Amino acid sequence: MLRFDETKSATLNLRVSPMFKKAVKLIAERESRSVPNALEWLVIDYFEKTGLSEADIRKATTKGRSEVAHARR
């Protein structure tokens, strides 16, 4: 199971539509989560549903454009 357990944190600034922001806030409220935690939870859920792994993340960050992303086109 994918986990984001690093003790250090990184900042991620996103520019999104107001509707997207409301949608994420709604999900967070319904799941009793903070917005950052809800986003993390959604990413983990996506990885579990699609079969992606931590190894895929490492490939994507070391090679620039990942083979996984390229294969999905």
Side-chain angles (χ1 to χ4, degrees):
M1 178 199 269
L2 178 66
R3 290 231 182 259
F4 299 112
D5 292 337
E6 297 95 359
T7 55
K8 294 182 180 181
S9 64
T11 301
L12 176 65
N13 294 310
L14 301 172
R15 188 166 187 86
V16 298
S17 71
M19 186 65 82
F20 180 87
K21 183 177 177 181
K22 287 179 184 180
V24 173
K25 282 186 169 187
L26 176 62
I27 292 168
E29 288 173 9
R30 287 190 156 205
E31 296 295 324
S32 299
R33 298 173 181 271
S34 65
V35 169
N37 183 262
L39 288 170
E40 185 175 307
W41 175 72
L42 288 166
V43 169
I44 290 169
D45 185 59
Y46 176 84
F47 269 66
E48 289 175 354
K49 286 180 179 175
T50 61
L52 289 170
S53 69
E54 191 172 330
D56 295 313
I57 296 170
R58 292 187 197 293
K59 282 185 215 171
T61 57
T62 57
K63 291 186 178 180
R65 188 178 218 188
S66 77
E67 296 169 17
V68 174
H70 190 69
R72 294 208 192 294
R73 289 182 165 227

